[in-house]
Amino acid sequence: MQRFQHDGVDIAFLDEGEGDPIVLVHGFASTAEVNWVYPGWVATLTAAGRRAIAFDTEDVRALLDHLDLARADVMGYSMGARITAFFALAYPTRLRRAVFGGLGIHLVHGVGLPESIAEALEAPSLADVSDPVGRTFRAFAEQTKSDLKALAACIRGSRQTLAREEVAAIRAPALVAVGTEDVVAGSAHELAALLPCGRALDIPRRDHMLAVGDKAFKAEVLRFLAEQP
């Protein structure tokens, strides 16, 4: 992992391959390795002739500045997709295409991850969590050795949405991909319908956790990226 400093923060990032750049923004309780390396995304993208850049912070613009990239494609998953949407709205000239994975209409109508997940993260142990979604996120956070209390605070402090009018202002081509068994993200089709150049992908038989590494998801992303923006 390479590193650079921005506003006093040490930011680690991965930069592999050559070709058109795509910035990868990981999801809640995850890391660049867990979200993008282990499921094969970096290997898939670099094999397709892309330059894959993944990092462990939400400051997409600072990373583009550091790498002297005027524009890039950006793909985020879950909370990373929410960050991607805010980046798309704030810096439209820096974005070529966007992929919103694991986030549908809850970008507009939801408030991020539900309170039950924060409560699950604060429970004394995994055995004390009865909510199925909360158990899934608690187990994942323990697997990635994350700070459980910090993650719970993150859920309660990052409940930002975009208005329908703001989503409609995102003019870049966008792919919205959500698993058909995902109970967290909301409808991909409803969000895609609000985007001027949006389209939806149903990832068959996948929930929020399993969709990220799905082969059908990867194949559609590669098709989408190969199109002329």
Side-chain angles (χ1 to χ4, degrees), residues 76-89 98-113 158-170 174-178 184-196 208:
Y77 193 82
S78 192
M79 186 175 287
R82 194 174 293 268
I83 292 168
T84 300
F86 277 83
F87 173 78
L89 187 64
V99 178
F100 304 127
L103 180 64
I105 196 61
H106 285 177
L107 173 63
V108 177
H109 296 313
V111 288
L113 297 174
S158 61
R159 301 190 167 205
Q160 294 177 301
T161 60
L162 290 181
R164 287 174 172 268
E165 300 77 27
E166 291 175 311
V167 173
I170 298 174
L175 175 66
V176 185
V178 174
V184 175
S187 169
H189 294 268
E190 289 184 46
L191 180 61
L194 298 178
L195 292 157
H208 194 73

Side-chain angles (χ1 to χ4, degrees), residues 23 36 41 50 54 57 60 71 75 78-79 81 90 96 109 118 129 132 142 144 150 173 198 206 222:
V23 175
W36 305 118
W41 272 107
R50 303 288 304 211
T57 177
V60 178
R71 299 176 73 215
M75 176 164 65
S78 192
M79 186 175 287
R96 189 164 45 196
H109 296 313
V129 181
E142 290 184 356
T144 58
R206 297 297 190 187
L222 292 182

Side-chain angles (χ1 to χ4, degrees), residues 4-21:
F4 76 102
Q5 289 274 332
H6 177 66
D7 285 345
V9 177
D10 190 39
I11 299 175
F13 67 96
L14 174 156
D15 187 353
E16 295 188 11
E18 299 177 354
D20 290 336

Side-chain angles (χ1 to χ4, degrees), residues 111-164:
V111 288
L113 297 174
E115 176 71 17
S116 60
I117 296 177
E119 294 171 353
L121 293 167
E122 293 172 332
S125 70
L126 180 61
D128 294 295
V129 181
S130 58
D131 176 70
V133 175
R135 281 184 63 84
T136 299
F137 275 84
R138 172 62 180 259
F140 180 69
E142 290 184 356
Q143 179 186 356
T144 58
K145 297 180 171 56
S146 299
D147 185 324
L148 302 181
K149 291 184 179 179
L151 291 179
C154 180
I155 287 177
R156 295 190 173 107
S158 61
R159 301 190 167 205
Q160 294 177 301
T161 60
L162 290 181
R164 287 174 172 268

